[in-house]
Amino acid sequence: MAYRVVFLGEGRVGKTSLIMKYVKNVFTEKQESTTEAQNFEQRVKVDDSFVPLDIWDTAGQERYHSLGPIYYREAKGAILVYDITDIDSFVKVKKWVKELHAMVGTNIAIAICGNKIDREREKVVDLSEAEAYAASVGATHFTTSAKTGKGVQEAFTYVAREIKKRDKTGRNFSAGSGTGLKVGTRDEPKPSGSGCPC
């Protein structure tokens, strides 16, 4: 059984793009906003074994926020994403962390990704501040780019390694192939109101 890992963050920060870069090594400049949860099963190589992850991509728009707990209630890991060119998206990460800890406790493995590092000239979030915040909540900070692939592998490997380290079930991790990939889609309950999901 795979460990659930949820991606959290505001809309348009690049959550889906990071996942697509990792599981399929593709990047789409005009990635559509996520309006229904999608999950990807991937085995991540950690040292000499593979850790099975069930990676959940969720919608980040405000009107979908209340649906978050449905998906991360049983999570063992989380990757929180913000856009380095958008200070508000970093502030919102702090709210996601509090909600996550309240729902699943503090033993969850968390990586915080400052995404779109390929646009560093437009950066408005201070890296040292972001790293200090991550450390203060028991997380590790990564700078990532779904476009170039920078930091993507490292973030996933970190979360898988932390989950493996914290696992108390005594399960054996397969040393077999890590190429398996299953993709699924889950219909999210529709939020109240109407309008563009973008």
Side-chain angles (χ1 to χ4, degrees), residues 3-5 74-78 107-110 159 163 166:
Y3 296 100
R4 177 172 292 198
V5 173
E74 298 177 4
K76 299 300 182 183
N107 194 42
I108 186 169
I110 298 178
V159 169
I163 289 174
R166 299 170 194 217

Side-chain angles (χ1 to χ4, degrees), residues 12 17 26-32 116 118-119 147:
R12 311 309 303 170
S17 293
V26 296
F27 174 76
T28 303
E29 198 75 52
K30 300 293 184 181
Q31 179 69 51
E32 293 184 10
K116 304 186 183 181
D118 51 282
R119 296 171 56 189
K147 186 173 186 177

Side-chain angles (χ1 to χ4, degrees), residues 8-40:
L8 300 172
E10 295 304 290
R12 311 309 303 170
V13 297
K15 299 185 299 297
T16 301
S17 293
L18 285 173
I19 295 172
M20 291 296 100
K21 188 67 174 180
Y22 182 70
V23 302
K24 297 184 177 181
N25 195 30
V26 296
F27 174 76
T28 303
E29 198 75 52
K30 300 293 184 181
Q31 179 69 51
E32 293 184 10
S33 293
T34 302
T35 57
E36 60 181 8
Q38 188 172 209
N39 68 310
F40 303 82

